[in-house]
Amino acid sequence: MRYFIVEEDKSAGYTGDVDASHKWGLPGVDSCPTCKATWSDTSRAYPSVDLSSVASLADFVEARAEPLEEYERLRELVRPLCPPGAQLEPGTSLGPLVGRAQGRFGSLAAPYPWWLLVQREALDRLQAERLRGLKGCPTQLRFRQRNAPELLELELLSAGRLHPDCLPPKRELRCTRCGRFGHTLPKSRLLDATTIPSGMDVFRLEDFSTVIVCTERFVDACRRLGLDGVAFLPLPLSPTR
Protein backbone atom coordinates (compact mmCIF):
# COMPACT_ATOMS: atom_id res chain seq x y z
CA MET A 1 0.00 0.00 0.00
CA ARG A 2 1.23 3.47 -0.86
CA TYR A 3 0.49 6.65 1.12
CA PHE A 4 0.04 10.29 0.15
CA ILE A 5 -0.12 13.72 1.76
CA VAL A 6 -3.35 15.57 0.97
CA GLU A 7 -2.96 19.24 0.05
CA GLU A 8 -4.91 21.98 -1.67
CA ASP A 9 -4.71 21.77 -5.46
CA LYS A 10 -3.84 25.37 -6.28
CA SER A 11 -3.82 24.61 -10.00
CA ALA A 12 -7.51 23.62 -10.02
CA GLY A 13 -8.68 27.23 -10.32
CA TYR A 14 -11.23 27.20 -7.51
CA THR A 15 -11.94 30.48 -5.69
CA GLY A 16 -13.36 29.03 -2.47
CA ASP A 17 -12.42 30.87 0.72
CA VAL A 18 -13.29 30.02 4.32
CA ASP A 19 -13.08 32.39 7.29
CA ALA A 20 -14.10 30.24 10.24
CA SER A 21 -13.06 28.54 13.44
CA HIS A 22 -14.41 25.68 15.49
CA LYS A 23 -17.13 26.44 17.98
CA TRP A 24 -15.23 25.34 21.07
CA GLY A 25 -11.71 24.35 22.08
CA LEU A 26 -9.35 23.46 24.86
CA PRO A 27 -7.12 26.23 26.21
CA GLY A 28 -3.41 26.34 25.56
CA VAL A 29 -0.80 25.85 28.26
CA ASP A 30 0.73 28.84 30.02
CA SER A 31 4.34 28.25 31.08
CA CYS A 32 4.70 24.49 31.47
CA PRO A 33 6.59 23.85 34.73
CA THR A 34 8.98 21.47 32.95
CA CYS A 35 9.74 22.91 29.49
CA LYS A 36 8.62 26.49 30.35
CA ALA A 37 6.76 26.76 27.01
CA THR A 38 3.47 28.58 26.48
CA TRP A 39 1.78 26.86 23.56
CA SER A 40 -1.28 25.41 21.86
CA ASP A 41 -2.03 23.43 18.70
CA THR A 42 -5.34 24.29 17.06
CA SER A 43 -4.75 22.08 14.01
CA ARG A 44 -6.12 19.01 15.76
CA ALA A 45 -9.93 19.06 15.61
CA TYR A 46 -12.88 16.84 16.48
CA PRO A 47 -15.88 18.47 14.78
CA SER A 48 -18.33 15.76 15.87
CA VAL A 49 -17.99 16.72 19.54
CA ASP A 50 -21.00 18.47 21.10
CA LEU A 51 -20.23 20.35 24.31
CA SER A 52 -23.65 21.99 24.66
CA SER A 53 -24.46 19.79 27.67
CA VAL A 54 -21.31 20.80 29.58
CA ALA A 55 -22.17 22.99 32.58
CA SER A 56 -19.02 25.13 32.32
CA LEU A 57 -19.41 25.73 28.58
CA ALA A 58 -17.89 29.22 28.78
CA ASP A 59 -14.54 27.62 29.65
CA PHE A 60 -14.30 26.27 26.09
CA VAL A 61 -15.28 29.36 24.09
CA GLU A 62 -12.41 31.82 24.46
CA ALA A 63 -8.97 31.00 23.04
CA ARG A 64 -6.43 31.54 25.80
CA ALA A 65 -3.60 29.93 27.76
CA GLU A 66 -4.13 28.47 31.22
CA PRO A 67 -1.87 26.86 33.83
CA LEU A 68 -1.17 23.23 32.97
CA GLU A 69 -3.33 21.88 35.79
CA GLU A 70 -6.38 23.85 34.58
CA TYR A 71 -5.90 22.64 31.01
CA GLU A 72 -5.71 19.05 32.30
CA ARG A 73 -8.91 19.51 34.33
CA LEU A 74 -10.82 20.80 31.31
CA ARG A 75 -9.36 18.10 29.07
CA GLU A 76 -10.67 15.33 31.33
CA LEU A 77 -14.05 17.05 31.54
CA VAL A 78 -14.62 16.70 27.79
CA ARG A 79 -12.80 13.44 27.15
CA PRO A 80 -15.94 11.26 27.57
CA LEU A 81 -17.61 13.28 24.77
CA CYS A 82 -14.74 12.78 22.30
CA PRO A 83 -14.01 9.90 19.92
CA PRO A 84 -12.22 6.95 21.56
CA GLY A 85 -8.48 7.54 21.68
CA ALA A 86 -8.74 11.23 20.78
CA GLN A 87 -5.52 13.17 21.27
CA LEU A 88 -6.62 16.16 23.33
CA GLU A 89 -3.57 18.40 23.29
CA PRO A 90 -3.61 22.06 24.37
CA GLY A 91 -5.60 24.11 21.87
CA THR A 92 -7.50 21.14 20.39
CA SER A 93 -10.54 22.38 18.47
CA LEU A 94 -13.99 20.92 19.15
CA GLY A 95 -17.39 21.20 17.50
CA PRO A 96 -18.43 22.42 14.07
CA LEU A 97 -16.72 25.05 11.94
CA VAL A 98 -18.53 28.36 12.35
CA GLY A 99 -18.01 31.34 10.07
CA ARG A 100 -18.23 32.57 6.48
CA ALA A 101 -17.42 30.98 3.15
CA GLN A 102 -17.58 32.18 -0.42
CA GLY A 103 -16.51 31.26 -3.93
CA ARG A 104 -16.34 28.05 -5.92
CA PHE A 105 -15.19 24.84 -4.23
CA GLY A 106 -14.03 21.54 -5.65
CA SER A 107 -15.40 18.20 -4.57
CA LEU A 108 -12.84 18.34 -1.76
CA ALA A 109 -11.18 21.40 -0.29
CA ALA A 110 -8.25 22.06 2.02
CA PRO A 111 -8.43 25.80 2.80
CA TYR A 112 -5.82 25.12 5.48
CA PRO A 113 -3.44 22.14 5.33
CA TRP A 114 -5.02 20.65 8.47
CA TRP A 115 -8.67 20.90 7.35
CA LEU A 116 -10.28 18.61 4.81
CA LEU A 117 -13.73 19.67 3.63
CA VAL A 118 -15.91 17.67 1.28
CA GLN A 119 -19.15 18.36 -0.56
CA ARG A 120 -22.08 16.16 0.49
CA GLU A 121 -22.44 14.38 -2.85
CA ALA A 122 -18.72 13.66 -3.02
CA LEU A 123 -18.74 12.16 0.49
CA ASP A 124 -21.69 9.93 -0.40
CA ARG A 125 -19.83 8.64 -3.45
CA LEU A 126 -16.65 7.99 -1.47
CA GLN A 127 -18.53 6.14 1.24
CA ALA A 128 -20.17 4.00 -1.46
CA GLU A 129 -16.63 2.90 -2.37
CA ARG A 130 -16.35 1.43 1.14
CA LEU A 131 -13.43 3.60 2.10
CA ARG A 132 -12.64 3.29 5.78
CA GLY A 133 -12.91 5.94 8.47
CA LEU A 134 -14.77 8.63 6.50
CA LYS A 135 -16.87 10.64 8.93
CA GLY A 136 -18.35 13.86 7.58
CA CYS A 137 -19.45 16.43 10.15
CA PRO A 138 -21.86 19.32 9.47
CA THR A 139 -20.41 22.82 9.37
CA GLN A 140 -22.05 26.14 10.20
CA LEU A 141 -20.65 28.11 7.27
CA ARG A 142 -22.66 31.04 5.94
CA PHE A 143 -22.60 31.71 2.20
CA ARG A 144 -23.69 34.97 0.56
CA GLN A 145 -24.29 33.48 -2.85
CA ARG A 146 -26.77 31.41 -4.77
CA ASN A 147 -26.32 27.67 -5.17
CA ALA A 148 -24.04 27.47 -2.15
CA PRO A 149 -22.48 24.01 -1.66
CA GLU A 150 -23.07 21.90 1.42
CA LEU A 151 -19.60 21.53 2.90
CA LEU A 152 -18.86 18.90 5.52
CA GLU A 153 -15.66 18.57 7.51
CA LEU A 154 -14.00 15.17 7.67
CA GLU A 155 -13.16 14.21 11.22
CA LEU A 156 -9.54 13.10 11.01
CA LEU A 157 -8.27 10.88 13.81
CA SER A 158 -4.60 10.96 14.73
CA ALA A 159 -2.56 7.97 13.60
CA GLY A 160 0.85 7.22 12.15
CA ARG A 161 4.13 9.05 12.72
CA LEU A 162 7.11 10.15 10.72
CA HIS A 163 10.13 7.87 10.94
CA PRO A 164 12.85 8.89 13.44
CA ASP A 165 15.30 9.23 10.54
CA CYS A 166 13.41 12.42 9.57
CA LEU A 167 14.11 14.02 12.93
CA PRO A 168 17.27 15.32 14.64
CA PRO A 169 19.17 12.47 16.32
CA LYS A 170 19.80 12.18 20.04
CA ARG A 171 17.38 14.89 21.09
CA GLU A 172 14.40 14.73 23.41
CA LEU A 173 11.62 16.23 21.32
CA ARG A 174 8.57 15.77 23.56
CA CYS A 175 8.13 17.36 26.98
CA THR A 176 7.50 14.68 29.58
CA ARG A 177 5.05 16.93 31.45
CA CYS A 178 2.89 18.82 28.93
CA GLY A 179 3.59 16.68 25.84
CA ARG A 180 4.85 19.54 23.66
CA PHE A 181 6.58 18.21 20.54
CA GLY A 182 9.45 20.60 19.96
CA HIS A 183 10.33 20.13 16.32
CA THR A 184 9.18 21.75 13.09
CA LEU A 185 7.87 19.70 10.18
CA PRO A 186 10.89 18.35 8.27
CA LYS A 187 11.14 18.98 4.54
CA SER A 188 12.17 15.38 3.90
CA ARG A 189 9.40 13.09 5.17
CA LEU A 190 9.26 9.33 5.63
CA LEU A 191 6.25 7.56 7.11
CA ASP A 192 7.12 5.05 9.81
CA ALA A 193 5.74 1.73 8.52
CA THR A 194 5.39 0.37 12.08
CA THR A 195 2.87 3.09 13.00
CA ILE A 196 0.45 2.80 10.08
CA PRO A 197 -3.16 2.51 11.30
CA SER A 198 -5.57 -0.18 10.23
CA GLY A 199 -9.13 0.63 9.27
CA MET A 200 -8.43 4.21 8.11
CA ASP A 201 -8.01 5.49 4.57
CA VAL A 202 -7.46 9.11 5.65
CA PHE A 203 -6.00 10.41 8.91
CA ARG A 204 -3.73 13.07 10.37
CA LEU A 205 -0.28 12.31 11.76
CA GLU A 206 0.09 11.90 15.51
CA ASP A 207 3.32 13.87 15.73
CA PHE A 208 2.63 16.50 13.04
CA SER A 209 -1.08 17.18 13.17
CA THR A 210 -1.01 19.66 10.28
CA VAL A 211 -0.26 16.79 7.88
CA ILE A 212 -3.20 14.86 6.41
CA VAL A 213 -2.35 11.44 5.00
CA CYS A 214 -4.43 9.10 2.85
CA THR A 215 -4.04 5.66 1.36
CA GLU A 216 -3.68 4.68 -2.27
CA ARG A 217 -7.25 3.38 -2.06
CA PHE A 218 -8.50 6.91 -1.28
CA VAL A 219 -6.50 8.43 -4.14
CA ASP A 220 -7.71 5.81 -6.63
CA ALA A 221 -11.34 6.36 -5.61
CA CYS A 222 -11.07 10.15 -5.98
CA ARG A 223 -9.51 9.84 -9.43
CA ARG A 224 -11.97 7.21 -10.62
CA LEU A 225 -14.93 9.31 -9.45
CA GLY A 226 -13.50 12.53 -10.87
CA LEU A 227 -13.36 14.26 -7.49
CA ASP A 228 -11.10 17.30 -7.52
CA GLY A 229 -9.93 20.20 -5.36
CA VAL A 230 -6.97 18.53 -3.64
CA ALA A 231 -3.61 17.17 -4.73
CA PHE A 232 -1.88 14.00 -3.55
CA LEU A 233 1.86 14.06 -2.83
CA PRO A 234 3.57 10.66 -2.44
CA LEU A 235 4.78 9.99 1.10
CA PRO A 236 7.61 7.41 1.15
CA LEU A 237 7.23 4.52 3.55
CA SER A 238 10.08 3.27 5.74
CA PRO A 239 11.13 -0.36 5.21
CA THR A 240 9.82 -2.80 7.81
CA ARG A 241 12.34 -4.64 9.89
Side-chain angles (χ1 to χ4, degrees):
M1 178 70 71
R2 294 190 298 164
Y3 291 82
F4 298 80
I5 295 175
V6 184
E7 293 187 350
E8 177 188 13
D9 184 359
K10 296 182 179 180
S11 68
Y14 289 106
T15 60
D17 179 68
V18 177
D19 180 12
S21 60
H22 291 88
K23 193 168 187 177
W24 303 294
L26 288 172
V29 166
D30 185 6
S31 301
C32 168
T34 298
C35 69
K36 312 303 180 185
T38 294
W39 69 284
S40 67
D41 178 6
T42 59
S43 61
R44 207 179 304 273
Y46 299 100
S48 70
V49 175
D50 183 2
L51 298 187
S52 57
S53 63
V54 176
S56 56
L57 190 59
D59 289 334
F60 303 95
V61 174
E62 180 183 357
R64 67 198 186 282
E66 294 279 6
L68 182 60
E69 292 77 10
E70 175 64 2
Y71 147 73
E72 291 174 333
R73 182 186 74 84
L74 295 174
R75 177 192 65 192
E76 296 312 308
L77 190 63
V78 303
R79 189 181 295 280
L81 303 174
C82 295
Q87 284 189 273
L88 299 176
E89 294 190 343
T92 295
S93 299
L94 304 168
L97 275 176
V98 180
R100 299 187 300 273
Q102 62 181 358
R104 294 174 52 250
F105 289 84
S107 306
L108 298 125
Y112 294 95
W114 49 92
W115 291 355
L116 186 54
L117 308 182
V118 58
Q119 296 204 38
R120 167 71 71 178
E121 181 183 359
L123 178 60
D124 291 343
R125 296 176 70 190
L126 286 170
Q127 289 176 330
E129 295 287 319
R130 298 188 178 181
L131 294 175
R132 302 162 299 178
L134 297 187
K135 183 176 183 179
C137 301
T139 61
Q140 297 178 12
L141 297 175
R142 302 184 303 276
F143 284 84
R144 291 185 176 179
Q145 64 193 56
R146 294 181 179 180
N147 301 319
E150 181 183 4
L151 291 178
L152 306 174
E153 181 181 8
L154 287 184
E155 184 163 74
L156 303 170
L157 302 183
S158 300
R161 296 187 295 274
L162 293 186
H163 194 273
D165 288 349
C166 298
L167 306 174
K170 299 180 180 179
R171 177 183 169 190
E172 181 57 56
L173 296 175
R174 191 173 293 278
C175 175
T176 56
R177 182 65 180 88
C178 71
R180 180 176 179 268
F181 190 67
H183 190 61
T184 56
L185 181 64
K187 293 182 179 180
S188 178
R189 301 160 196 172
L190 183 68
L191 184 61
D192 189 338
T194 65
T195 67
I196 293 174
S198 60
M200 278 190 268
D201 281 305
V202 61
F203 52 93
R204 73 172 75 250
L205 292 182
E206 288 183 2
D207 47 1
F208 292 98
S209 57
T210 60
V211 178
I212 298 175
V213 176
C214 71
T215 63
E216 186 176 8
R217 295 178 71 246
F218 186 88
V219 175
D220 288 346
C222 287
R223 290 174 175 167
R224 186 171 60 255
L225 297 171
L227 305 182
D228 59 1
V230 295
F232 303 105
L233 284 63
L235 179 60
L237 192 63
S238 71
T240 57
R241 296 188 175 90

